[in-house]
Amino acid sequence: MEASADLMPERLLRRGRELQFERQRKKQDRELEDTNRKASNYFLDQFSKSHLEIEDELNNLASGVVENSLIPSSIHKISKDIQTLQKHFSASTMILCLHDVRKSQERIQMLQQRLHELEEQLLPKKKFGFKARKPVNKETVHVKVADEIDCGETLQKKLIENDFGVKNKTNESIIMRGNSILDKDVVLQNLTGCTVKLMGSPGTLHMSNMQGCTILSGPIVRSVLIENCKNCKFVLPCQQLRVHSSSQCDFYLHVTSRAIIEDTVSVRVAPYNWTYDEIDKQFSLLGWDLTKNHWDSMDDFNWLASDKPSPNWCILPESDREIWS
């Protein structure tokens, strides 16, 4: 007579959970690889189009098509176009293979060098020149964080290696914009009653020990990890979401793989619904398939029954959903 599931040794239950974790991890790795491949192809296509447009502008300068009176403004425009191309490249290096990174950087450097040569040839007097900026690498493309944060007081941030964030705050409204968070590892910790808006694309987002907070973010390049949070509202688009030891939280999600919860209860989920200026451009830059959204699919690692849904999460009723602005 077969032993019932309730009498199964703890080690067998643990082994079953480990196998389930491993299968889920492999599945998410495959989905992430597929998403990154699509994002890479999209970037390379857009990069080639922009590169060709800048080359055409340089050819017009070199051939004398541009009137003398318009040469300074034309050089200035090309310089700005190259800077924009460099910024887009720097924001996308994490999804590119090493070969594509090197080739893209070489193509940008060739554009900069050619513009510099034409500037020296057509505008020999420095007082009329528009200098092309030197190439910048991924680490230096970001502006200083303090210049892009709005709150009631100046935030004193602790930089830890490559990440930064907001810690130990109560009842504050904080906005972080644009390049200040671009592909950075953002940490939010020990917050109570705070509203945080991340109007850009962080690389990762790690939140812990928060109560009664509302967190809204633009598209997060990779993953979100949430730990020890209670009575919070999270409005997040990301590729992977993991929630540990949290309760009574609402999630408004656009997630490209199934979210994972563990030791977590009283979770409600709804589709992502925040919008702001530049968000469409940020989604476009990442090359996400916006039709693919697993907002209503969660794997509960504390619920092993396959024939019954987990009681630890549910769909947030439409009548209870908020509209974010």
Side-chain angles (χ1 to χ4, degrees):
M1 185 174 182
E2 296 183 0
S4 67
D6 293 337
L7 299 179
M8 290 180 65
E10 177 63 26
R11 62 185 180 84
L12 292 180
L13 290 174
R14 187 183 305 113
R15 179 55 179 164
R17 183 181 300 178
E18 290 173 353
L19 290 173
Q20 184 181 13
F21 290 175
E22 182 65 17
R23 286 194 296 269
Q24 180 64 28
R25 184 189 65 79
K26 290 180 178 180
K27 179 182 177 182
Q28 290 188 333
D29 286 345
R30 290 193 299 270
E31 290 177 342
L32 181 58
E33 181 180 355
D34 182 61
T35 299
N36 285 342
R37 182 170 58 253
K38 291 179 180 178
S40 174
N41 291 338
Y42 178 84
F43 165 79
L44 292 174
D45 181 61
Q46 295 301 310
F47 182 93
S48 295
K49 291 178 180 178
S50 297
H51 184 273
L52 183 60
E53 291 174 358
I54 295 172
E55 279 194 327
D56 288 343
E57 293 176 329
L58 289 169
N59 290 335
N60 288 337
L61 270 180
S63 64
V65 172
V66 180
E67 295 182 10
N68 290 341
S69 61
L70 299 178
I71 288 177
S73 61
S74 180
I75 289 178
H76 181 64
K77 179 184 181 301
I78 295 173
S79 177
K80 297 292 289 185
D81 290 343
I82 296 175
Q83 291 173 36
T84 299
L85 188 62
Q86 172 70 60
K87 184 180 294 185
H88 289 173
F89 162 72
S90 298
S92 303
T93 53
M94 79 293 294
I95 61 173
L96 301 175
C97 67
L98 183 59
H99 171 77
D100 288 335
V101 169
R102 290 175 175 172
K103 295 300 292 184
S104 297
Q105 187 63 69
E106 288 175 1
R107 294 172 74 183
I108 291 174
Q109 290 174 346
M110 291 177 64
L111 292 176
Q112 291 169 326
Q113 179 62 32
R114 191 177 180 201
L115 177 63
H116 177 73
E117 293 173 354
L118 286 172
E119 182 181 359
E120 291 295 319
Q121 174 186 339
L122 300 174
L123 298 174
K125 296 182 180 180
K126 292 184 179 296
K127 64 180 180 180
F128 294 116
F130 292 85
K131 292 291 184 182
R133 293 188 180 183
K134 294 181 179 180
V136 294
N137 59 28
K138 179 183 176 184
E139 288 71 28
T140 59
V141 72
H142 309 307
V143 302
K144 293 182 179 179
V145 176
D147 294 337
E148 296 263 353
I149 297 180
D150 301 328
C151 61
E153 59 179 317
T154 301
L155 292 177
Q156 299 298 322
K157 294 158 295 297
K158 293 182 180 179
L159 292 170
I160 304 174
E161 296 180 350
N162 292 326
D163 64 21
F164 72 95
V166 181
K167 303 180 182 181
N168 308 318
K169 298 293 177 182
T170 301
N171 297 330
E172 292 197 21
S173 294
I174 301 160
I175 299 176
M176 306 169 76
R177 293 190 175 95
N179 286 342
S180 70
I181 56 176
L182 181 60
D183 199 32
K184 286 185 177 291
D185 299 322
V186 178
V187 176
L188 305 178
Q189 189 174 52
N190 301 330
L191 305 182
T192 301
C194 292
T195 297
V196 180
K197 295 182 178 181
L198 306 176
M199 305 176 76
S201 292
T204 63
L205 181 56
H206 182 190
M207 296 174 279
S208 61
N209 303 324
M210 305 199 304
Q211 291 196 30
C213 294
T214 298
I215 311 299
L216 303 98
S217 178
I220 298 156
V221 178
R222 291 177 293 278
S223 62
V224 176
L225 175 61
I226 297 173
E227 299 178 294
N228 301 316
C229 294
K230 184 176 181 180
N231 193 30
C232 292
K233 297 176 181 179
F234 300 100
V235 188
L236 309 167
C238 59
Q239 301 219 43
Q240 293 182 332
L241 170 66
R242 294 176 180 263
V243 185
H244 298 276
S245 304
S246 299
S247 64
Q248 299 175 319
C249 293
D250 289 348
F251 289 85
Y252 294 75
L253 299 174
H254 185 107
V255 58
T256 60
S257 60
R258 293 171 66 94
I260 294 172
I261 62 174
E262 186 172 15
D263 299 325
T264 294
V265 297
S266 301
V267 164
R268 302 190 300 177
V269 296
Y272 182 77
N273 62 355
W274 189 37
T275 186
Y276 57 87
D277 291 343
E278 302 296 319
I279 191 171
D280 290 339
K281 183 183 297 184
Q282 292 162 4
F283 271 117
S284 177
L285 182 59
L286 293 180
W288 285 10
D289 180 1
L290 296 183
T291 64
K292 184 179 180 180
N293 185 5
H294 295 285
W295 68 270
D296 56 352
S297 300
M298 281 191 162
D299 290 329
D300 185 354
F301 281 2
N302 292 102
W303 186 254
L304 299 180
S306 59
D307 58 337
K308 295 180 180 179
S310 167
N312 297 320
W313 70 275
C314 67
I315 303 296
L316 179 61
E318 292 189 17
S319 58
D320 292 342
R321 297 177 188 176
E322 299 186 43
I323 304 298
W324 308 100
S325 60

